[in-house]
Amino acid sequence: MLKGIRYINPLKWIGWLFKPIEQNGAFFVFMFALGWICTQTEIMPYYLRERGAKPYELSAPELFLDIYILCIILTLIPQKIRRWIKALLYIFFYGVALVDTFCYERFESTLTPTMLMLFGESTGQETREFLSGYLSWDGVKGGVGWILLLILVHIVWTIFMLVTDKMRKRLVQSKVSETFITGSKAVLGIVVAWLLYSSVSQTWDNKVAMKRLFSYDTIGEVEHEQTKKDRANLYLPVYRLAFGIYANHLASHQLVQLKAASEKIQIDSCNYRVPDIVLVIGESYNKHHSQLYGYDKPTTPLQVAMAEEGSLVTFSDVVSTWNLTSFVFKHMLSLYAVGDSGAWCDEPLFPEVFRKAGYHVTFITNQFESKAKEGIYDFSGGFFLNDPELSQQQFDARSTKTHRYDDGVLKEYDILDKQARARSQETGNLVILHLMGSHMDYRARYPQKTQTYFTPQMYDRPELNDKQKQILAHYDNSLRYNDSIMACITQRFANKDAVVIYVPDHGEEIFDGSPYMYGRMHGANIDYRLARNEMEIPFWIWGSPAFREKHPDEWQDIQNAKDRPLMIDALPHLLLYFGGISTQLYRPTLNVLSPDYDTKRPRILKGVTDYNQLKRP
């Protein structure tokens, strides 16, 4: 061997790969066991547990990789400090896992952004009442029980190791062959190297997706990321906690902007042109499955009857801004218009404008109930509606629960309307009803025992199999049920000076073109096929007999405007016109009834594609 060159034993070098586990053996084993329990007992979404769904298939390699990296970091910390850091990590990881698993067992949901938001809004007394109501021996089952058992084993193991500490030191000091030890560590190092290679190669895509998920600036972008097929799998409770904190952080920024935007509201005057204005927001409505728009099945017989009698005007060229409810709600409620500088939250929300103008504003939603198991989609769409301060600024009355079917919205309105009759009727009423409509799962959107009209046998569609025809029948039945709901809404305003505006948030794929599918596609490319099914939407205005009699010019304007191109982000300006609200926020170029309306305005879908420029086949 050359002098001056120190010999490096390759076996020792390879053995270093095992050192992070060697120095943090108990931490590695118990944290791996904790992660494994969580991944095997928590299957998301919760309802898939009943359908034979399996746990995250890459949980073992990803757990190994994550805990190994954490052990490397611990190894770099001095032993005296490392001991305390590991103790804190144990408390943190066990605590988060227990909360996450408990929520999964009790509320059918792991930690979500909404759950964290609700916890942040709870008072100390509410928290104590919650704990006393739910913490019991009955809760020690399933994943919670396994985690508690693991904690017990961990405590016993720690005590055992402390008692036998001197014995282990003597064993280490005994004359054991250094070559044997070095060789053993080298073998273990080779095993670790193989496991690392396998883990990285299998889980790299998920790590990239996780990095991408936590890199956005708005909650809307995060939601859109979650629609992708290669979205991140937040397979551990600690990752779900981090995501919840991150999502609430992004939402809080937009809440601050919205509250600042309220200062822009200045009302010059209000003549309450239409005393009762009703906006009904539907869900997932494919325009081309509406009998009102030429569909060959009687999905909207009551709306057709209203159109034939002359009380309902159908608009022919209306598109949504997005195919995600949350994005649409933000564009539909904000006075921001697509193409303006800034963001949607830089402008006030029109319900607050109406309220400051003297209208009594009622909001009833069958979707945006702030509840623990709410997903990111509903959180993104409803966080600014459920914020206590903003809710109070926008609404005089609102619903507090959701219903299985949309007839519950009618019952909710009747209750709130009865309560409101005691107040003065001198001002106007703005009523916003948000339906569940035809949201997937379609078979759950209507009472099948009493409202089934269409059956698979009624569809002459040889390109579809029996299962697809059944899905199609469920969808059309949901539209027919929606038709009955809309008729009931108009009946409630038949004796008032009122208009009812119906607009769904977006459309839906429902086997209307190859590839034959249902639901929505969330890719970046928007062609006319996608726009036709998911962005083109029905839009109509119904006028009560009193409205048509008292406002003949406005009723004629509605009929004259029915073929004008419209995108629903302009809707607030039509509503301000109906309200007779004079404010600098109103733009006649965005009011489809105004002679100054801009018919050449680009209609940008998903912020990237101008619908007006799409080529029709």
Side-chain angles (χ1 to χ4, degrees), residues 243-277:
F243 177 68
I245 295 171
Y246 170 65
N248 275 276
H249 171 70
L250 295 181
S252 67
H253 278 292
Q254 295 190 333
L255 288 175
V256 170
Q257 290 173 272
L258 281 172
K259 292 171 184 178
S262 297
E263 299 177 4
K264 295 183 179 182
I265 301 175
Q266 298 293 329
I267 308 298
D268 299 324
S269 64
C270 180
N271 62 21
Y272 308 103
R273 178 180 281 116
V274 183
D276 287 277
I277 303 171

mmCIF file of all heavy atoms in Angstrom, residues 243-277:
data_model
loop_
_atom_site.group_PDB
_atom_site.id
_atom_site.type_symbol
_atom_site.label_atom_id
_atom_site.label_comp_id
_atom_site.label_asym_id
_atom_site.label_seq_id
_atom_site.Cartn_x
_atom_site.Cartn_y
_atom_site.Cartn_z
ATOM 1 N N PHE A 243 -51.355 19.458 4.955
ATOM 2 C CA PHE A 243 -52.189 19.955 3.860
ATOM 3 C C PHE A 243 -53.336 20.808 4.384
ATOM 4 O O PHE A 243 -53.675 21.846 3.811
ATOM 5 C CB PHE A 243 -52.737 18.783 3.044
ATOM 6 C CG PHE A 243 -53.668 19.205 1.940
ATOM 7 C CD1 PHE A 243 -53.189 19.911 0.850
ATOM 8 C CD2 PHE A 243 -55.022 18.907 1.996
ATOM 9 C CE1 PHE A 243 -54.042 20.314 -0.165
ATOM 10 C CE2 PHE A 243 -55.877 19.294 0.991
ATOM 11 C CZ PHE A 243 -55.382 20.003 -0.100
ATOM 12 N N GLY A 244 -53.940 20.379 5.488
ATOM 13 C CA GLY A 244 -55.025 21.158 6.074
ATOM 14 C C GLY A 244 -54.563 22.541 6.508
ATOM 15 O O GLY A 244 -55.247 23.550 6.281
ATOM 16 N N ILE A 245 -53.394 22.601 7.133
ATOM 17 C CA ILE A 245 -52.838 23.886 7.555
ATOM 18 C C ILE A 245 -52.528 24.757 6.347
ATOM 19 O O ILE A 245 -52.820 25.958 6.321
ATOM 20 C CB ILE A 245 -51.576 23.666 8.409
ATOM 21 C CG1 ILE A 245 -51.941 22.942 9.717
ATOM 22 C CG2 ILE A 245 -50.864 24.976 8.690
ATOM 23 C CD1 ILE A 245 -50.748 22.498 10.530
ATOM 24 N N TYR A 246 -51.940 24.138 5.333
ATOM 25 C CA TYR A 246 -51.574 24.849 4.102
ATOM 26 C C TYR A 246 -52.808 25.403 3.400
ATOM 27 O O TYR A 246 -52.845 26.574 2.994
ATOM 28 C CB TYR A 246 -50.819 23.869 3.197
ATOM 29 C CG TYR A 246 -50.550 24.334 1.787
ATOM 30 C CD1 TYR A 246 -49.712 25.416 1.537
ATOM 31 C CD2 TYR A 246 -51.104 23.661 0.712
ATOM 32 C CE1 TYR A 246 -49.447 25.815 0.241
ATOM 33 C CE2 TYR A 246 -50.847 24.052 -0.592
ATOM 34 C CZ TYR A 246 -50.012 25.132 -0.823
ATOM 35 O OH TYR A 246 -49.751 25.524 -2.105
ATOM 36 N N ALA A 247 -53.863 24.584 3.271
ATOM 37 C CA ALA A 247 -55.084 25.019 2.598
ATOM 38 C C ALA A 247 -55.749 26.169 3.360
ATOM 39 O O ALA A 247 -56.223 27.140 2.753
ATOM 40 C CB ALA A 247 -56.056 23.848 2.463
ATOM 41 N N ASN A 248 -55.775 26.084 4.674
ATOM 42 C CA ASN A 248 -56.363 27.163 5.473
ATOM 43 C C ASN A 248 -55.527 28.436 5.379
ATOM 44 O O ASN A 248 -56.072 29.553 5.397
ATOM 45 C CB ASN A 248 -56.501 26.735 6.934
ATOM 46 C CG ASN A 248 -57.777 25.976 7.201
ATOM 47 O OD1 ASN A 248 -58.831 26.559 7.415
ATOM 48 N ND2 ASN A 248 -57.693 24.648 7.165
ATOM 49 N N HIS A 249 -54.221 28.270 5.264
ATOM 50 C CA HIS A 249 -53.339 29.431 5.106
ATOM 51 C C HIS A 249 -53.650 30.159 3.795
ATOM 52 O O HIS A 249 -53.769 31.394 3.780
ATOM 53 C CB HIS A 249 -51.880 28.976 5.127
ATOM 54 C CG HIS A 249 -50.897 30.044 4.759
ATOM 55 N ND1 HIS A 249 -50.624 31.122 5.580
ATOM 56 C CD2 HIS A 249 -50.137 30.212 3.643
ATOM 57 C CE1 HIS A 249 -49.729 31.902 4.997
ATOM 58 N NE2 HIS A 249 -49.422 31.377 3.824
ATOM 59 N N LEU A 250 -53.806 29.401 2.709
ATOM 60 C CA LEU A 250 -54.130 30.018 1.417
ATOM 61 C C LEU A 250 -55.505 30.672 1.456
ATOM 62 O O LEU A 250 -55.703 31.776 0.939
ATOM 63 C CB LEU A 250 -54.081 28.964 0.308
ATOM 64 C CG LEU A 250 -52.719 28.336 0.011
ATOM 65 C CD1 LEU A 250 -52.844 27.334 -1.131
ATOM 66 C CD2 LEU A 250 -51.689 29.406 -0.338
ATOM 67 N N ALA A 251 -56.480 29.975 2.053
ATOM 68 C CA ALA A 251 -57.829 30.520 2.128
ATOM 69 C C ALA A 251 -57.861 31.798 2.957
ATOM 70 O O ALA A 251 -58.595 32.743 2.632
ATOM 71 C CB ALA A 251 -58.776 29.484 2.730
ATOM 72 N N SER A 252 -57.083 31.848 4.023
ATOM 73 C CA SER A 252 -57.093 33.028 4.899
ATOM 74 C C SER A 252 -56.625 34.271 4.159
ATOM 75 O O SER A 252 -57.121 35.374 4.408
ATOM 76 C CB SER A 252 -56.209 32.779 6.123
ATOM 77 O OG SER A 252 -54.840 32.682 5.763
ATOM 78 N N HIS A 253 -55.689 34.107 3.231
ATOM 79 C CA HIS A 253 -55.224 35.249 2.441
ATOM 80 C C HIS A 253 -56.358 35.819 1.597
ATOM 81 O O HIS A 253 -56.527 37.039 1.498
ATOM 82 C CB HIS A 253 -54.060 34.830 1.534
ATOM 83 C CG HIS A 253 -52.736 34.804 2.231
ATOM 84 N ND1 HIS A 253 -52.101 35.948 2.673
ATOM 85 C CD2 HIS A 253 -51.917 33.788 2.564
ATOM 86 C CE1 HIS A 253 -50.953 35.641 3.258
ATOM 87 N NE2 HIS A 253 -50.821 34.321 3.209
ATOM 88 N N GLN A 254 -57.146 34.932 0.987
ATOM 89 C CA GLN A 254 -58.241 35.400 0.150
ATOM 90 C C GLN A 254 -59.370 35.983 0.997
ATOM 91 O O GLN A 254 -60.069 36.907 0.560
ATOM 92 C CB GLN A 254 -58.744 34.264 -0.739
ATOM 93 C CG GLN A 254 -57.688 33.813 -1.743
ATOM 94 C CD GLN A 254 -58.215 32.864 -2.801
ATOM 95 O OE1 GLN A 254 -59.178 32.152 -2.578
ATOM 96 N NE2 GLN A 254 -57.567 32.855 -3.958
ATOM 97 N N LEU A 255 -59.550 35.476 2.201
ATOM 98 C CA LEU A 255 -60.546 36.051 3.098
ATOM 99 C C LEU A 255 -60.165 37.489 3.470
ATOM 100 O O LEU A 255 -61.023 38.376 3.523
ATOM 101 C CB LEU A 255 -60.676 35.206 4.362
ATOM 102 C CG LEU A 255 -61.362 33.848 4.203
ATOM 103 C CD1 LEU A 255 -61.302 33.066 5.513
ATOM 104 C CD2 LEU A 255 -62.810 34.005 3.764
ATOM 105 N N VAL A 256 -58.891 37.719 3.703
ATOM 106 C CA VAL A 256 -58.414 39.070 4.012
ATOM 107 C C VAL A 256 -58.692 40.005 2.844
ATOM 108 O O VAL A 256 -59.148 41.146 3.021
ATOM 109 C CB VAL A 256 -56.910 39.054 4.355
ATOM 110 C CG1 VAL A 256 -56.363 40.475 4.436
ATOM 111 C CG2 VAL A 256 -56.664 38.317 5.661
ATOM 112 N N GLN A 257 -58.423 39.524 1.619
ATOM 113 C CA GLN A 257 -58.659 40.339 0.430
ATOM 114 C C GLN A 257 -60.147 40.644 0.252
ATOM 115 O O GLN A 257 -60.521 41.760 -0.116
ATOM 116 C CB GLN A 257 -58.116 39.620 -0.804
ATOM 117 C CG GLN A 257 -56.597 39.554 -0.862
ATOM 118 C CD GLN A 257 -56.095 38.684 -2.000
ATOM 119 O OE1 GLN A 257 -55.929 37.479 -1.853
ATOM 120 N NE2 GLN A 257 -55.875 39.301 -3.141
ATOM 121 N N LEU A 258 -60.990 39.641 0.483
ATOM 122 C CA LEU A 258 -62.434 39.849 0.343
ATOM 123 C C LEU A 258 -62.954 40.864 1.358
ATOM 124 O O LEU A 258 -63.793 41.719 1.035
ATOM 125 C CB LEU A 258 -63.180 38.517 0.520
ATOM 126 C CG LEU A 258 -63.196 37.571 -0.681
ATOM 127 C CD1 LEU A 258 -63.804 36.236 -0.278
ATOM 128 C CD2 LEU A 258 -63.981 38.177 -1.839
ATOM 129 N N LYS A 259 -62.468 40.774 2.564
ATOM 130 C CA LYS A 259 -62.916 41.708 3.596
ATOM 131 C C LYS A 259 -62.447 43.128 3.284
ATOM 132 O O LYS A 259 -63.156 44.104 3.555
ATOM 133 C CB LYS A 259 -62.418 41.234 4.965
ATOM 134 C CG LYS A 259 -63.089 39.943 5.418
ATOM 135 C CD LYS A 259 -62.457 39.337 6.652
ATOM 136 C CE LYS A 259 -63.112 37.997 6.989
ATOM 137 N NZ LYS A 259 -62.496 37.322 8.161
ATOM 138 N N ALA A 260 -61.272 43.246 2.689
ATOM 139 C CA ALA A 260 -60.791 44.566 2.277
ATOM 140 C C ALA A 260 -61.610 45.097 1.104
ATOM 141 O O ALA A 260 -61.874 46.300 1.011
ATOM 142 C CB ALA A 260 -59.317 44.485 1.896
ATOM 143 N N ALA A 261 -62.041 44.174 0.215
ATOM 144 C CA ALA A 261 -62.833 44.583 -0.950
ATOM 145 C C ALA A 261 -64.186 45.145 -0.546
ATOM 146 O O ALA A 261 -64.798 45.919 -1.303
ATOM 147 C CB ALA A 261 -63.008 43.400 -1.896
ATOM 148 N N SER A 262 -64.684 44.756 0.629
ATOM 149 C CA SER A 262 -65.980 45.260 1.098
ATOM 150 C C SER A 262 -65.994 46.780 1.198
ATOM 151 O O SER A 262 -67.047 47.418 1.068
ATOM 152 C CB SER A 262 -66.323 44.659 2.467
ATOM 153 O OG SER A 262 -66.457 43.257 2.381
ATOM 154 N N GLU A 263 -64.829 47.354 1.420
ATOM 155 C CA GLU A 263 -64.746 48.809 1.563
ATOM 156 C C GLU A 263 -65.038 49.530 0.251
ATOM 157 O O GLU A 263 -65.293 50.745 0.259
ATOM 158 C CB GLU A 263 -63.367 49.190 2.096
ATOM 159 C CG GLU A 263 -63.054 48.596 3.472
ATOM 160 C CD GLU A 263 -61.649 48.930 3.941
ATOM 161 O OE1 GLU A 263 -60.955 49.688 3.231
ATOM 162 O OE2 GLU A 263 -61.250 48.434 5.015
ATOM 163 N N LYS A 264 -65.011 48.804 -0.868
ATOM 164 C CA LYS A 264 -65.298 49.422 -2.164
ATOM 165 C C LYS A 264 -66.794 49.678 -2.374
ATOM 166 O O LYS A 264 -67.177 50.399 -3.284
ATOM 167 C CB LYS A 264 -64.797 48.525 -3.300
ATOM 168 C CG LYS A 264 -63.298 48.335 -3.369
ATOM 169 C CD LYS A 264 -62.937 47.478 -4.574
ATOM 170 C CE LYS A 264 -61.434 47.280 -4.702
ATOM 171 N NZ LYS A 264 -61.098 46.466 -5.914
ATOM 172 N N ILE A 265 -67.618 49.047 -1.553
ATOM 173 C CA ILE A 265 -69.064 49.124 -1.771
ATOM 174 C C ILE A 265 -69.597 50.487 -1.355
ATOM 175 O O ILE A 265 -69.574 50.844 -0.169
ATOM 176 C CB ILE A 265 -69.796 48.002 -1.005
ATOM 177 C CG1 ILE A 265 -69.290 46.624 -1.448
ATOM 178 C CG2 ILE A 265 -71.306 48.110 -1.224
ATOM 179 C CD1 ILE A 265 -69.874 45.463 -0.669
ATOM 180 N N GLN A 266 -70.067 51.227 -2.323
ATOM 181 C CA GLN A 266 -70.716 52.510 -2.079
ATOM 182 C C GLN A 266 -72.035 52.513 -2.841
ATOM 183 O O GLN A 266 -72.048 52.419 -4.063
ATOM 184 C CB GLN A 266 -69.827 53.670 -2.558
ATOM 185 C CG GLN A 266 -68.488 53.783 -1.836
ATOM 186 C CD GLN A 266 -68.652 54.168 -0.373
ATOM 187 O OE1 GLN A 266 -69.604 54.875 -0.005
ATOM 188 N NE2 GLN A 266 -67.722 53.719 0.474
ATOM 189 N N ILE A 267 -73.145 52.625 -2.145
ATOM 190 C CA ILE A 267 -74.466 52.618 -2.768
ATOM 191 C C ILE A 267 -74.956 54.064 -2.919
ATOM 192 O O ILE A 267 -75.103 54.784 -1.920
ATOM 193 C CB ILE A 267 -75.478 51.810 -1.934
ATOM 194 C CG1 ILE A 267 -74.922 50.408 -1.632
ATOM 195 C CG2 ILE A 267 -76.821 51.736 -2.648
ATOM 196 C CD1 ILE A 267 -74.655 49.560 -2.844
ATOM 197 N N ASP A 268 -75.194 54.478 -4.161
ATOM 198 C CA ASP A 268 -75.712 55.828 -4.410
ATOM 199 C C ASP A 268 -77.219 55.885 -4.186
ATOM 200 O O ASP A 268 -77.732 56.833 -3.589
ATOM 201 C CB ASP A 268 -75.369 56.260 -5.840
ATOM 202 C CG ASP A 268 -73.860 56.307 -6.075
ATOM 203 O OD1 ASP A 268 -73.137 56.688 -5.137
ATOM 204 O OD2 ASP A 268 -73.407 55.943 -7.185
ATOM 205 N N SER A 269 -77.918 54.865 -4.693
ATOM 206 C CA SER A 269 -79.365 54.796 -4.505
ATOM 207 C C SER A 269 -79.838 53.401 -4.885
ATOM 208 O O SER A 269 -79.088 52.618 -5.479
ATOM 209 C CB SER A 269 -80.093 55.843 -5.364
ATOM 210 O OG SER A 269 -79.884 55.582 -6.746
ATOM 211 N N CYS A 270 -81.089 53.095 -4.544
ATOM 212 C CA CYS A 270 -81.686 51.801 -4.912
ATOM 213 C C CYS A 270 -83.196 51.981 -5.032
ATOM 214 O O CYS A 270 -83.847 52.429 -4.086
ATOM 215 C CB CYS A 270 -81.362 50.730 -3.868
ATOM 216 S SG CYS A 270 -82.054 49.108 -4.246
ATOM 217 N N ASN A 271 -83.743 51.649 -6.224
ATOM 218 C CA ASN A 271 -85.191 51.815 -6.415
ATOM 219 C C ASN A 271 -85.943 50.487 -6.389
ATOM 220 O O ASN A 271 -87.143 50.458 -6.635
ATOM 221 C CB ASN A 271 -85.478 52.561 -7.726
ATOM 222 C CG ASN A 271 -84.986 51.790 -8.955
ATOM 223 O OD1 ASN A 271 -84.791 50.578 -8.912
ATOM 224 N ND2 ASN A 271 -84.799 52.499 -10.062
ATOM 225 N N TYR A 272 -85.218 49.386 -6.106
ATOM 226 C CA TYR A 272 -85.845 48.060 -6.004
ATOM 227 C C TYR A 272 -86.702 47.778 -7.248
ATOM 228 O O TYR A 272 -87.888 47.455 -7.140
ATOM 229 C CB TYR A 272 -86.694 47.945 -4.729
ATOM 230 C CG TYR A 272 -85.940 48.323 -3.486
ATOM 231 C CD1 TYR A 272 -86.148 49.563 -2.865
ATOM 232 C CD2 TYR A 272 -84.995 47.459 -2.937
ATOM 233 C CE1 TYR A 272 -85.426 49.920 -1.730
ATOM 234 C CE2 TYR A 272 -84.278 47.812 -1.807
ATOM 235 C CZ TYR A 272 -84.506 49.038 -1.206
ATOM 236 O OH TYR A 272 -83.794 49.396 -0.088
ATOM 237 N N ARG A 273 -86.060 47.892 -8.398
ATOM 238 C CA ARG A 273 -86.785 47.710 -9.667
ATOM 239 C C ARG A 273 -87.620 46.435 -9.634
ATOM 240 O O ARG A 273 -88.798 46.437 -9.996
ATOM 241 C CB ARG A 273 -85.788 47.675 -10.828
ATOM 242 C CG ARG A 273 -86.443 47.434 -12.181
ATOM 243 C CD ARG A 273 -85.437 47.412 -13.312
ATOM 244 N NE ARG A 273 -85.047 48.764 -13.700
ATOM 245 C CZ ARG A 273 -83.812 49.250 -13.567
ATOM 246 N NH1 ARG A 273 -82.862 48.501 -13.016
ATOM 247 N NH2 ARG A 273 -83.536 50.472 -13.956
ATOM 248 N N VAL A 274 -87.015 45.331 -9.230
ATOM 249 C CA VAL A 274 -87.741 44.068 -9.040
ATOM 250 C C VAL A 274 -87.675 43.737 -7.551
ATOM 251 O O VAL A 274 -86.588 43.429 -7.031
ATOM 252 C CB VAL A 274 -87.135 42.924 -9.877
ATOM 253 C CG1 VAL A 274 -87.975 41.660 -9.711
ATOM 254 C CG2 VAL A 274 -87.028 43.316 -11.343
ATOM 255 N N PRO A 275 -88.791 43.789 -6.854
ATOM 256 C CA PRO A 275 -88.766 43.580 -5.395
ATOM 257 C C PRO A 275 -88.290 42.187 -4.978
ATOM 258 O O PRO A 275 -87.633 42.046 -3.954
ATOM 259 C CB PRO A 275 -90.221 43.811 -4.978
ATOM 260 C CG PRO A 275 -90.808 44.629 -6.077
ATOM 261 C CD PRO A 275 -90.119 44.186 -7.329
ATOM 262 N N ASP A 276 -88.639 41.165 -5.765
ATOM 263 C CA ASP A 276 -88.241 39.788 -5.402
ATOM 264 C C ASP A 276 -87.403 39.192 -6.527
ATOM 265 O O ASP A 276 -87.908 38.938 -7.635
ATOM 266 C CB ASP A 276 -89.471 38.927 -5.150
ATOM 267 C CG ASP A 276 -90.153 39.260 -3.842
ATOM 268 O OD1 ASP A 276 -89.698 38.752 -2.802
ATOM 269 O OD2 ASP A 276 -91.120 40.059 -3.863
ATOM 270 N N ILE A 277 -86.135 38.977 -6.226
ATOM 271 C CA ILE A 277 -85.194 38.397 -7.191
ATOM 272 C C ILE A 277 -84.749 37.042 -6.651
ATOM 273 O O ILE A 277 -84.271 36.946 -5.517
ATOM 274 C CB ILE A 277 -83.976 39.309 -7.392
ATOM 275 C CG1 ILE A 277 -84.423 40.703 -7.852
ATOM 276 C CG2 ILE A 277 -83.012 38.705 -8.402
ATOM 277 C CD1 ILE A 277 -83.305 41.731 -7.861
#
